[in-house]
Every structure is written in C-alpha cells, then in structure tokens.
Amino acid sequence: MSLPRRIRGIAAVSAAVCSTVAVAVAVASPSVAHNDRGASLPVVESLRQKIGDASTLVPPRSVQESSLAGASSANPLDVLVVGGGATGCGVALDAATRGLRVGLVEREDFSSGTSSRSTKLIHGGVRYLEKAVFNLDYGQLKLVFHALEERKQVIDNAPHLCHALPCMTPCFNWFEVVYYWVGLKAYDLVAGARLLHLSRYYSAQESSELFPTLARNGKDRVLKGTVVYYDGQMNDSRLNVALACTASLAGATVLNHAEVVGFLKDGASGRVIGARIRDNLSGKEFETYAKVVVNAAGPFCDSVRKMVDKDVQPMICPSSGVHIILPDYYSPEGMGLIVPKTKDGRVVFMLPWLGRTVAGTTDSNTEITMLPEPHEDEIQFILDAISDYLNVKVRRTDVLSAWSGIRPLATDPSAKNTESISRDHVVCEDYPGLVTITGGKWTTYRSMAEDAVNAAIRSGNLKPANECVTHNLRLMGGEGWDPASFTMLAQQYVRMKRSYGGKVVPGAMDTAAAKHLSHAYGNFAERVAEIAQNEGLGKRLAHGYPFLEAEVAYCARNEYCESAVDFIARRSRLAFLDTDAASRALPRIIEILSVEHKWNKSRKKEELEKARRFLETFKSSKNAQFHDGKHN
C-alpha cells in the first residue's frame, strides 16, 4: 500500500473513532449542573470568606491536639481520618464542610509519603482513552470522563499551585503523526467543557523552535513533527498542605507527627470506636473516640488494617515510581515532552517544573518503606530513555535530585490473581467502623474523598448538614488570587536581609522571588513578604533558588511546619529540586525554626542529623555511588 493510501485509511478509521467517541460523550458526559452542587450554601460562603481573608490564622498545633484528646466516648468525633496525604486531607475537608466533627492524624507530615513524590501532573488519563477505544471498553471511557472533570476542578480550586502545561509528543513517521493527532483530538472531545486548550500538530521545524533540545535526526529516524496536547501540572506537596490548612479552617482538627498506635473497640460489638494516638514530637499518648475511622494511609493502609485484624487479606500492590531532576536547559520553560511508548514499551517524560526539569518515570514492584530510595539502574533507565530523544549529552552528573515514590495500587482482597490490580480507587469496610480508601491518583483525590465520606456516613449513620460541597471550593491561598499579583509584591516590598557582618541591608523583591511567593502562597504571599521586610528575613536560603528565610518563619507559624525536613521537602521543594542546595541551607533553616519553636541545642543537632539522613535517600550525582559509563 502506498503511503498516501495508508494515511487515508488511517484517517478513515480515525474519523470513525472520533464519531464513536462523540456519541459516547453525548451519552455519558456529566452535566455542568453537577459541578455547581452546594455552591451557594452558607457553609461554603463562610469558608470562602475565611480563605479570602489574608489575615486568617489556622488554629495552632497545641489547640488541635487538645481538641483531639477531648473527643470522648460520650462526645466522639464523627470521623477520624488516619493519613495526611492528598486523600486523607481531602476526606477531612469534605467531611468538615458537610458539618461533621472531624479529626485527622498523620504519622509524619502532611504529604510526607506518596503525595509529595508524584509526577506533578494532573492528568485525565489519555492512555485509558486508547484502551477504551481499542478494547471497546466503556468502563475505561468513564474513567477518562471522570479524571478530566476532576482535572479541571483541581486546577480551578488551587489556581496559584496548578496550571495547564503543553506536552509535546514526537512523531518519527507519518503513521504516528496521524495516530497521535486523532487520538489527542479525541481526548479534547472527551474533555468537552473541561478542555484546557486544543491540541495541535507542529512541523519538525516548528517543534525544534518550541523545544530546542529535541533531536530531529538519529538512530535511523527523522522527526516528522509533533503533536502537542495539554494536561495540568501542580506543586503537589504545597497543594496537600493547602488541603490540610483549608480543612483546619473549615473546622477539622488536623495533627501531623501524630501516630495511631492502636484502635479502640466496643466491648460488645467489636466495632472500632476510636484510636490511641502518640504525639511523635512530645512522646505523649492519648485516646480519641470517633463514630467512624477512615483509613487513608496510602501504601500503609494494610498496616492500619492489620492493627484491627492481623489476619486481614492485603489490598496493596506497591509500585515504585522514580523521578529525577535535571537542570533547566534540558527542557524549555512552559513545554513538556512525553514519549508514550519507548523501545521497551514504557512511558517517559521531561517536564519543566519550578525552574528545573523533572524526568521519569519507572513502574516496578517494590517493598513498602517509610523512605523509599531510587535504584541506580532506575535512574540510568530514565537517562538512557530521554537521551534517545535529545540532541544534548545526557549526563549522570547533571542529576540534581532523584527520588522514589510508592504507588498504592489497589487489589481486590478476594481475587485469585493479579489482574484485579487497579489504577482506580477502592473503598471498603472489611471491619465494622473502619472504612478504607486506597488506590486512585492525585488527580481524583477530591472524588475519592467524597466516596470515602459517603461510605463513612453510611457506616456510622451520621447526620451531615449538607451534601458534598468541595466541587467549587477554592483552597487556602486560591480565593481572590490573580496571576499578576506578584507585581504588587515586587513594587511594594523589599527584602531586608542580614549581611555576613550582621548588618541588616535592603535587597530588591525581584521578579523571581515575587513570582515564587505568589504561586506558592497565593493571596497569603503578602504575609511572607511582610516578614521578609519587617523581620530581616529576606535573604535567599540557597543560591540560584527563590526560597526566602521568611518562608521558614511563616510556615512554622501558619502551616504546621514542625521540622527541618517538613520545610525542605514539603513547604518548599528544595530537597526535590536540588539535594545539595538543601543540605547547604539546613543550618540556617534550623536556626530559624529553633527560634520559632524554642528548640534547645540538643534538638537542633537532632534535626540536622535527621534531615541529612533524609537527604541521603535523594540520589543526586554527589551523594550517589555509581559507574557513569555512557553518561560522562
């Protein structure tokens, strides 16, 4: 068959595919009215006012702990959430905005597990659409509808932390051009009213101008062009912290560094009625009672279930996802590169993120551990894979940071084979009073939380004041935020900083620092700028990065930042962006936190040792032992 005839054949099939998808869209697409549920309820308006007021303060940690300890058998919480990742904090926010009395405990810090180690994409699942079409699987198509709806809502609810990102897919023959163009147009069609931007084709020359490091020739192939489509991107751990703080403002009692050490059961029925909690900062233990406990512990949800029933069937099939950070020159600002299928069938991407390039990912079986570490062969696989598509030398010595996250893939405990492993979420109550929510992905955290709260209401016969209202609820920092607000920071504030001689001198609130504060803190950025100006904390924490000393103080006062690791990994992203820069910044970060939390010399030394051990699990080129080989 000649090339033109082949392309015409592909186009004919593609038209049929689009027609089929269009019919499915008309039948299955959710109505816009669905997204407006509860939008004008008093609880929403009251919370919006709080979130929009930049002087709003979250309750201090000591008050939160007292509130949890005060939940008695006579006056229990409605819901106690175990786990402070995206799903757990989403459950706390959802339940609190329904008028329920809510508590949440997290063993480490909000987003300390999988939720801070994600791909940073808010995606609709374009690969699910491919499966839906070729397998005629309507269930997969519904997954895509659902994810696309949630994708748009995540971006709308936290506009300062999320944005649309164009992603380029290289095509090395005309079949790929037509195949990807049609497939991504179908993706646009399914998105409907939730579309971010239309996908489009770019010639090889245009693609090189948009992505200068993309290889046009090599390995017996020539670039024919690229298809660019849009998904969302986020600052995942800051989004998680915003969820926790918003839940707190909504009335939930949230407590990080607080671990469940045992469950309380009713003597007659055996139902779970609460938990024994240990404050990992003070060592103090206390009991708290609840009508329902929601287990949202991610990869550790089986550990929580086994505390109730040691013989329970496992639900989690852990998968390791490794990512690396490279300098900004690997990818242009504002354009990602995604290869849907490498030579061994895996997906590989390179995306601009917070001024650097994040590349990944892997998907392999792993053990569940508190601090997962990337294996050198996984890092090498990513470097090898991206080198096939770039015209620059890809070097192991360029890796600024590398980390591993554990995906909690959910299995059906009653299944006899691994085919039940799901990328979707699972909600179950396999022990009275303990509802488990696991699986899923960051994009759908809000609807996962909604499902878990619905299950908790049924389990405990709870009486919410209203239905779910989180569909159009801005998170802390997002209400009233404007993309141009950084200009006000640059114009109205200076960064007062201490010189090496101890003298306080002014410095400009330059565009980089102002943009960073605006995007990281939203409409609360001005409070950070005031600390930088009025308290002499305007110095940068690390050369080449916009993070300011003032952020450490702000996060300690307003975002439950209780340790040095909390700051370098979750409140700022310095550990993820540049492990060695984070290590150099540690002494100053600890000094500021010691003032805020009144640490003694022993605690400061302990914090430094813990943080350095933590950073050793991030395999930058300087702290990894490797044989470079190809990547010199």
Side-chain angles (χ1 to χ4, degrees):
M1 183 186 292
S2 67
L3 184 61
R5 284 181 61 199
R6 181 180 299 173
I7 291 177
R8 285 198 298 272
I10 296 168
V13 172
S14 301
V17 167
C18 282
S19 177
T20 303
V21 171
V23 172
V25 169
V27 172
S29 184
S31 66
V32 175
H34 170 82
N35 296 335
D36 294 328
R37 289 182 294 170
S40 61
L41 286 171
V43 64
V44 176
E45 294 307 318
S46 173
L47 186 54
R48 280 177 177 160
Q49 288 177 11
K50 277 187 184 179
I51 295 169
D53 182 357
S55 64
T56 297
L57 297 174
V58 296
R61 189 174 187 278
S62 57
V63 171
Q64 301 286 59
E65 183 169 343
S66 296
S67 178
L68 266 184
S72 64
S73 56
N75 186 27
L77 299 168
D78 289 312
V79 178
L80 173 66
V81 184
V82 181
T87 305
C89 289
V91 170
L93 177 60
D94 187 308
T97 52
R98 296 200 207 193
L100 298 174
R101 188 178 173 208
V102 184
L104 178 147
V105 290
E106 161 58 45
R107 173 170 52 181
E108 294 292 330
D109 181 32
F110 307 120
S111 194
S112 59
T114 304
S115 295
S116 64
R117 297 166 180 263
S118 77
T119 298
K120 323 304 178 194
L121 281 176
I122 314 166
H123 60 93
V126 68
R127 296 188 80 194
Y128 300 150
L129 180 61
E130 184 181 32
K131 290 178 184 177
V133 171
F134 285 100
N135 298 336
L136 299 178
D137 188 337
Y138 185 64
Q140 292 280 352
L141 185 60
K142 287 198 295 184
L143 277 178
V144 180
F145 279 127
H146 177 58
L148 286 168
E149 180 180 10
E150 293 299 321
R151 178 188 72 175
K152 186 69 166 66
Q153 290 187 331
V154 172
I155 296 172
D156 288 347
N157 289 348
H160 57 305
L161 295 168
C162 309
H163 61 272
L165 177 72
C167 300
M168 180 177 281
T169 300
C171 305
F172 293 95
N173 57 58
W174 292 112
F175 175 86
E176 288 184 342
V177 170
V178 176
Y179 181 81
Y180 289 128
W181 184 86
V182 171
L184 292 169
K185 282 298 176 185
Y187 193 54
D188 292 348
L189 184 63
V190 172
R194 299 168 295 280
L195 179 70
L196 300 179
H197 297 285
L198 283 169
S199 60
R200 62 159 293 181
Y201 165 78
Y202 288 96
S203 69
Q205 178 61 37
E206 291 171 323
S207 301
S208 294
E209 292 170 0
L210 290 168
F211 205 111
T213 55
L214 178 64
R216 292 184 63 174
N217 300 286
K219 299 203 174 183
D220 302 320
R221 60 186 186 182
V222 177
L223 184 71
K224 302 302 182 186
T226 61
V227 181
V228 173
Y229 74 101
Y230 286 77
D231 260 330
Q233 191 179 51
M234 62 179 164
N235 186 335
D236 53 4
S237 72
R238 285 214 55 81
L239 183 58
N240 200 152
V241 170
L243 269 170
C245 291
T246 308
S248 179
L249 291 177
T253 300
V254 300
L255 194 66
N256 56 351
H257 300 283
E259 181 175 2
V260 171
V261 294
F263 284 106
L264 309 176
K265 297 181 183 178
D266 180 78
S269 65
R271 181 182 175 88
V272 173
I273 56 171
R276 185 159 186 82
I277 311 295
R278 180 173 61 230
D279 183 336
N280 285 332
L281 298 180
S282 67
K284 173 186 172 185
E285 292 191 8
F286 59 91
E287 292 181 347
T288 189
Y289 288 80
K291 297 173 184 175
V292 183
V293 175
V294 173
N295 172 14
F300 301 95
C301 79
D302 281 340
S303 300
V304 173
R305 294 166 69 231
K306 286 179 180 178
M307 293 171 72
V308 177
D309 178 3
K310 61 181 176 56
D311 298 321
V312 74
Q313 189 75 16
M315 293 179 64
I316 295 299
C317 180
S319 170
S320 169
V322 172
H323 301 79
I324 63 175
I325 291 288
L326 298 164
D328 55 352
Y329 53 72
Y330 273 85
S331 64
E333 184 179 354
M335 178 65 75
L337 179 73
I338 292 186
V339 180
K341 190 172 288 187
T342 60
K343 55 192 174 188
D344 65 351
R346 299 197 230 183
V347 176
V348 170
F349 60 82
M350 281 196 340
L351 311 169
W353 184 64
L354 300 182
R356 296 293 179 264
T357 300
V358 59
T361 180
T362 63
D363 190 359
S364 54
N365 294 334
T366 188
E367 297 294 321
I368 297 176
T369 176
M370 286 295 296
L371 288 176
E373 298 185 32
H375 294 297
E376 193 59 38
D377 58 350
E378 294 175 308
I379 296 172
Q380 203 67 48
F381 161 75
I382 296 170
L383 292 171
D384 288 340
I386 64 174
S387 70
D388 291 341
Y389 296 89
L390 300 180
N391 58 19
V392 297
K393 185 179 286 187
V394 178
R395 308 180 303 178
R396 178 62 175 88
T397 51
D398 283 340
V399 176
L400 300 171
S401 183
W403 72 89
S404 174
I406 301 175
R407 301 183 186 96
L409 303 183
T411 63
D412 180 352
S414 63
K416 295 180 180 179
N417 56 53
T418 58
E419 291 178 3
S420 63
I421 295 174
S422 173
R423 296 280 173 167
D424 200 5
H425 65 275
V426 174
V427 182
C428 69
E429 184 180 11
D430 50 6
Y431 197 92
L434 181 68
V435 172
T436 295
I437 170 79
T438 191
K441 56 185 180 179
W442 238 116
T443 306
T444 57
Y445 86 86
R446 192 212 60 79
S447 65
M448 290 170 64
E450 182 179 355
D451 289 348
V453 174
N454 288 341
I457 289 170
R458 291 191 298 270
S459 172
N461 195 25
L462 306 179
K463 306 296 181 187
N466 47 265
E467 62 179 6
C468 176
V469 296
T470 57
H471 304 81
N472 292 307
L473 180 64
R474 290 274 170 88
L475 301 184
M476 187 170 171
E479 191 66 41
W481 177 79
D482 186 275
S485 62
F486 74 92
T487 58
M488 181 274 294
L489 296 175
Q491 290 174 341
Q492 297 185 15
Y493 290 92
V494 295
R495 297 186 294 115
M496 302 301 292
K497 50 192 180 180
R498 293 186 184 277
S499 66
Y500 287 111
K503 185 179 179 182
V504 178
V505 295
M509 184 66 75
D510 54 89
T511 300
K515 277 187 175 180
H516 158 65
L517 293 181
S518 176
H519 283 282
Y521 302 94
N523 65 331
F524 287 81
E526 197 169 349
R527 282 169 60 179
V528 187
E530 286 173 354
I531 295 172
Q533 178 172 279
N534 300 334
E535 300 182 30
L537 294 174
K539 194 173 182 179
R540 281 189 166 87
L541 289 166
H543 178 71
Y545 294 90
F547 307 111
L548 306 182
E549 294 175 334
E551 296 178 64
V552 185
Y554 175 83
C555 293
R557 298 171 195 175
N558 302 284
E559 290 188 353
Y560 303 116
C561 179
E562 304 295 333
S563 74
V565 173
D566 289 356
F567 185 80
I568 61 173
R570 271 88 60 177
R571 303 310 182 281
S572 77
R573 309 315 309 276
L574 199 49
F576 285 81
L577 290 169
D578 191 328
T579 304
D580 305 308
S583 183
R584 291 192 296 271
L586 273 176
R588 183 57 180 145
I589 291 168
I590 291 171
E591 197 61 42
I592 297 169
L593 285 174
S594 71
V595 173
E596 296 297 324
H597 293 313
K598 300 178 173 57
W599 291 344
N600 57 26
K601 190 175 290 187
S602 174
R603 174 65 189 275
K604 287 160 68 174
K605 182 180 178 182
E606 180 186 347
E607 283 291 323
L608 186 60
E609 290 172 353
K610 279 185 177 178
R612 284 181 172 161
R613 284 199 302 271
F614 174 81
L615 288 174
E616 285 174 1
T617 67
F618 285 65
K619 302 301 183 184
S620 71
S621 61
K622 291 184 180 178
N623 73 354
Q625 298 296 318
F626 61 90
H627 175 68
D628 202 9
K630 175 180 174 181
H631 302 288
N632 292 314

Short mmCIF file of all heavy atoms in Angstrom, two decimals, residues 127 130 180 339-348 361 363 381 385 389:
data_model
loop_
_atom_site.label_atom_id
_atom_site.label_comp_id
_atom_site.label_asym_id
_atom_site.label_seq_id
_atom_site.Cartn_x
_atom_site.Cartn_y
_atom_site.Cartn_z
N ARG A 127 -4.02 7.51 28.19
CA ARG A 127 -3.79 6.09 27.85
C ARG A 127 -5.05 5.25 28.12
O ARG A 127 -5.28 4.24 27.47
CB ARG A 127 -2.61 5.55 28.66
CG ARG A 127 -1.29 6.21 28.33
CD ARG A 127 -0.13 5.51 29.02
NE ARG A 127 0.27 4.31 28.29
CZ ARG A 127 1.06 3.38 28.80
NH1 ARG A 127 1.49 3.48 30.04
NH2 ARG A 127 1.40 2.33 28.08
N GLU A 130 -7.10 5.41 25.02
CA GLU A 130 -6.61 4.48 23.99
C GLU A 130 -7.15 3.07 24.24
O GLU A 130 -7.62 2.40 23.32
CB GLU A 130 -5.08 4.48 24.00
CG GLU A 130 -4.46 3.63 22.91
CD GLU A 130 -2.94 3.64 22.97
OE1 GLU A 130 -2.39 3.75 24.09
OE2 GLU A 130 -2.30 3.53 21.91
N TYR A 180 -1.42 9.89 16.63
CA TYR A 180 -1.43 10.71 17.84
C TYR A 180 -2.32 11.94 17.68
O TYR A 180 -2.99 12.36 18.64
CB TYR A 180 0.00 11.14 18.21
CG TYR A 180 0.83 10.00 18.74
CD1 TYR A 180 2.09 9.72 18.20
CD2 TYR A 180 0.38 9.18 19.77
CE1 TYR A 180 2.85 8.66 18.66
CE2 TYR A 180 1.13 8.12 20.24
CZ TYR A 180 2.37 7.87 19.69
OH TYR A 180 3.11 6.82 20.16
N VAL A 339 6.94 10.84 25.75
CA VAL A 339 7.07 9.74 24.79
C VAL A 339 6.15 8.63 25.26
O VAL A 339 6.41 7.98 26.27
CB VAL A 339 8.53 9.24 24.72
CG1 VAL A 339 8.64 8.11 23.70
CG2 VAL A 339 9.47 10.38 24.38
N PRO A 340 5.01 8.41 24.56
CA PRO A 340 4.02 7.44 25.03
C PRO A 340 4.53 6.01 25.06
O PRO A 340 4.05 5.18 25.82
CB PRO A 340 2.87 7.58 24.03
CG PRO A 340 3.11 8.87 23.33
CD PRO A 340 4.57 9.09 23.34
N LYS A 341 5.51 5.69 24.20
CA LYS A 341 5.98 4.30 24.17
C LYS A 341 7.44 4.28 23.73
O LYS A 341 7.76 4.55 22.58
CB LYS A 341 5.13 3.46 23.21
CG LYS A 341 5.40 1.96 23.31
CD LYS A 341 4.40 1.18 22.48
CE LYS A 341 3.01 1.19 23.10
NZ LYS A 341 2.06 0.28 22.40
N THR A 342 8.32 3.98 24.69
CA THR A 342 9.74 3.83 24.37
C THR A 342 9.97 2.46 23.76
O THR A 342 9.05 1.66 23.60
CB THR A 342 10.59 3.99 25.64
OG1 THR A 342 10.20 2.98 26.59
CG2 THR A 342 10.39 5.36 26.27
N LYS A 343 11.25 2.14 23.45
CA LYS A 343 11.55 0.88 22.79
C LYS A 343 11.17 -0.33 23.63
O LYS A 343 10.95 -1.42 23.11
CB LYS A 343 13.03 0.83 22.42
CG LYS A 343 13.97 1.05 23.58
CD LYS A 343 15.39 1.29 23.08
CE LYS A 343 16.33 1.66 24.23
NZ LYS A 343 17.66 2.06 23.74
N ASP A 344 11.09 -0.14 24.98
CA ASP A 344 10.66 -1.27 25.82
C ASP A 344 9.22 -1.11 26.30
O ASP A 344 8.80 -1.78 27.23
CB ASP A 344 11.61 -1.46 27.00
CG ASP A 344 11.58 -0.30 27.97
OD1 ASP A 344 10.95 0.73 27.65
OD2 ASP A 344 12.18 -0.41 29.06
N GLY A 345 8.48 -0.18 25.66
CA GLY A 345 7.05 -0.08 25.92
C GLY A 345 6.66 0.82 27.07
O GLY A 345 5.47 0.93 27.39
N ARG A 346 7.60 1.51 27.71
CA ARG A 346 7.27 2.36 28.85
C ARG A 346 7.02 3.81 28.42
O ARG A 346 7.42 4.23 27.33
CB ARG A 346 8.40 2.33 29.88
CG ARG A 346 8.65 0.95 30.45
CD ARG A 346 9.46 1.05 31.74
NE ARG A 346 10.61 0.16 31.73
CZ ARG A 346 11.44 0.00 32.75
NH1 ARG A 346 11.25 0.66 33.87
NH2 ARG A 346 12.47 -0.82 32.67
N VAL A 347 6.36 4.56 29.29
CA VAL A 347 6.14 5.98 29.06
C VAL A 347 7.27 6.75 29.75
O VAL A 347 7.61 6.48 30.90
CB VAL A 347 4.78 6.43 29.63
CG1 VAL A 347 4.61 7.94 29.49
CG2 VAL A 347 3.66 5.69 28.96
N VAL A 348 7.84 7.74 29.05
CA VAL A 348 8.89 8.58 29.62
C VAL A 348 8.53 10.04 29.31
O VAL A 348 7.98 10.35 28.26
CB VAL A 348 10.27 8.24 29.02
CG1 VAL A 348 11.30 9.27 29.43
CG2 VAL A 348 10.72 6.87 29.50
N THR A 361 9.18 8.15 34.10
CA THR A 361 9.21 7.57 35.42
C THR A 361 9.34 6.07 35.27
O THR A 361 9.32 5.56 34.14
CB THR A 361 7.92 7.91 36.20
OG1 THR A 361 7.93 7.34 37.49
CG2 THR A 361 6.70 7.41 35.47
N ASP A 363 8.03 2.07 36.74
CA ASP A 363 6.88 1.39 37.32
C ASP A 363 7.28 -0.06 37.58
O ASP A 363 7.22 -0.90 36.70
CB ASP A 363 5.69 1.45 36.35
CG ASP A 363 4.39 0.97 36.99
OD1 ASP A 363 4.42 0.57 38.17
OD2 ASP A 363 3.35 0.99 36.30
N PHE A 381 17.96 4.06 33.64
CA PHE A 381 16.94 3.80 32.62
C PHE A 381 16.33 5.12 32.13
O PHE A 381 16.15 5.32 30.92
CB PHE A 381 15.83 2.91 33.18
CG PHE A 381 14.56 2.98 32.38
CD1 PHE A 381 14.45 2.36 31.15
CD2 PHE A 381 13.47 3.73 32.85
CE1 PHE A 381 13.28 2.47 30.40
CE2 PHE A 381 12.31 3.84 32.11
CZ PHE A 381 12.21 3.20 30.88
N ALA A 385 16.61 6.57 28.38
CA ALA A 385 15.38 6.75 27.60
C ALA A 385 15.28 8.16 27.04
O ALA A 385 14.94 8.34 25.87
CB ALA A 385 14.17 6.42 28.47
N TYR A 389 15.95 10.91 22.65
CA TYR A 389 15.08 11.92 22.04
C TYR A 389 15.68 13.33 22.12
O TYR A 389 15.02 14.30 21.73
CB TYR A 389 13.71 11.91 22.73
CG TYR A 389 12.99 10.60 22.50
CD1 TYR A 389 13.15 9.53 23.38
CD2 TYR A 389 12.18 10.43 21.39
CE1 TYR A 389 12.52 8.32 23.16
CE2 TYR A 389 11.54 9.22 21.16
CZ TYR A 389 11.72 8.16 22.04
OH TYR A 389 11.09 6.97 21.81
#
